[in-house]
Amino acid sequence: MFSSLKVRNYRLFFMGQVVSNTGTWMQRIAQDWLVLSLTGSSAAVGITTALQFLPMLLFGLYGGVLVDRLPRRPTLLVTQSAMALTGLALAFLTLSGHVQVWHVYLAAFAVGLATVVDNPARQSFVSEMVGPGQLQNAVSLNSANFQSARLVGPAVAGLLITGVGTGWAFLLNGLSFVAPIGGLLLMRARELHVVERTPRGKGQLREGLRYVAGRPDLIWPIVLVGFIGTFGFNFPVWLSAYADDTFHAGAGAYSLFNTLMAVGSLAGALLAARRGTARLRVLIAAAVAFGALEVVAATAPSLWLFALLMVPIGIAGLTVNVTANTSVQMATDPAMRGRVMALFMMVFMGGSPLGAPLVGWVTDAYGPRVGFALGGLVSMAAATAIGLVLARLGGLRVSLGWHRGAPRVRFVPRAGARTEEQLATV
């Protein structure tokens, strides 16, 4: 489960990210709650989320082109430093009592700009640290790292918000970037599996798009995470509204919801680290379960039942993310990985500028339950449709029958179906 941590460079990276990710989750919780406190609007929280991910939607592909041209480690030093400065600036404004909602909007957009390059650089840099043999394990441990921080960050943020205010969460986030920057500086360059950089040239963006478009094993997982990222992962909007409007429980409940979801996400990440392969059928099953669980949670009558449902939602959502990420990385040529992962992250995260304001408006107009259920239904429908497409491409058909007195749905080979090697991709 932890085999990639034997690699010194990855171990330094991992430890730095534990600290930084904890600070990032503290800032996310504090940022959402600060906007809700300043405006009283779920739509405003949605706008904040949208602004943070808008740069990925607008410039994400260009970020991938840059990452394929630039050395990853120096690039990450620049992007991590930029995000640290943004957190410190927001801390100063909040602690001095001068913060306004447009300051939070601007900070969210600035973090989004740094993320345009930081995300594909970090995704691609994993393979340089551990090599192809440990890639699946390292990607899963990265997710476990992120979700472990998600356990601590919201809990600490909740204490800080209720005790001393949101500004201290922003300050600690800014200081937390010392850890990953130090880890990058301490790495041994000679031990990296450096990929030859792509020289500057015309048409590299179009080349990356053509590469993905010609690969069904890449394009359909990316389309699926696009739907789920746009409509199913708007938790800052929904959970803050449930805590404030539905259950009238305040920032402590919002922190609890995020913490319990992180428990499930951590479990999902560790399970993914133990799996030897990233199969597309696991991706589809997890995506269907994720959407269905959101619909069930939308109807939960009590705070504690709703909170407990965050655990399986976290497991399913993390399984979708890790399985899609790993399958796309492992199927991509190293020279194209920056562009392909930029497209992956652009679709997954860049859908929020479209989905978050819409979901925020639905939540304000019709209530958190309707907004949450709508996100789950869209995710479930997209997963079902794409699962059928992948099954057809793999030479499978749906078989309906009964097994031990219960209905059973299976995928079985069609007459004249493809070979076992072709079916293995599904």
Side-chain angles (χ1 to χ4, degrees), residues 42-101:
S42 294
V45 178
I47 291 171
T48 308
T49 303
L51 286 171
Q52 185 157 335
F53 297 119
L54 181 62
M56 182 64 72
L57 179 64
L58 297 177
F59 311 117
L61 291 176
Y62 296 98
V65 172
L66 285 174
V67 168
D68 279 338
R69 292 176 181 173
L70 299 172
R72 266 70 162 185
R73 188 162 64 130
T75 300
L76 286 171
L77 285 170
V78 173
T79 57
Q80 296 282 294
S81 299
M83 287 190 276
L85 291 174
T86 302
L88 293 173
L90 193 56
F92 172 77
L93 289 168
T94 307
L95 291 172
S96 65
H98 295 98
V99 70
Q100 299 178 37
V101 70

Side-chain angles (χ1 to χ4, degrees), residues 173-254:
N173 175 56
L175 295 176
S176 73
F177 283 95
V178 171
I181 291 171
L184 289 166
L185 292 172
L186 290 172
M187 287 183 184
R188 295 170 181 163
R190 65 181 181 277
E191 296 179 6
L192 294 173
H193 302 258
V194 179
V195 175
E196 185 177 349
R197 297 199 300 272
T198 303
R200 178 184 293 270
K202 292 183 179 180
Q204 291 176 336
L205 181 57
R206 291 191 298 272
E207 181 186 9
L209 292 174
R210 284 195 301 268
Y211 178 80
V212 173
R215 296 282 303 275
D217 56 332
L218 296 179
I219 187 65
W220 289 113
I222 290 174
V223 170
L224 177 58
V225 299
F227 273 101
I228 290 180
T230 301
F231 298 102
F233 268 80
N234 291 289
F235 295 112
V237 177
W238 294 321
L239 299 188
S240 59
Y242 265 87
D244 195 46
D245 299 332
T246 303
F247 298 123
H248 309 289
Y254 182 46

Side-chain angles (χ1 to χ4, degrees), residues 365-399:
Y366 301 101
R369 295 189 187 278
V370 174
F372 204 10
L374 177 63
L377 287 171
V378 172
S379 299
M380 191 163 47
T384 302
I386 291 171
L388 292 173
V389 170
L390 288 171
R392 185 172 182 82
L393 290 170
L396 302 175
R397 64 178 177 84
V398 178
S399 173

Side-chain angles (χ1 to χ4, degrees), residues 25-40:
W25 274 109
M26 290 170 58
Q27 174 148 326
R28 284 191 180 186
I29 300 300
Q31 174 181 279
D32 296 338
W33 199 257
L34 177 60
V35 170
L36 194 64
S37 300
L38 291 172
T39 65

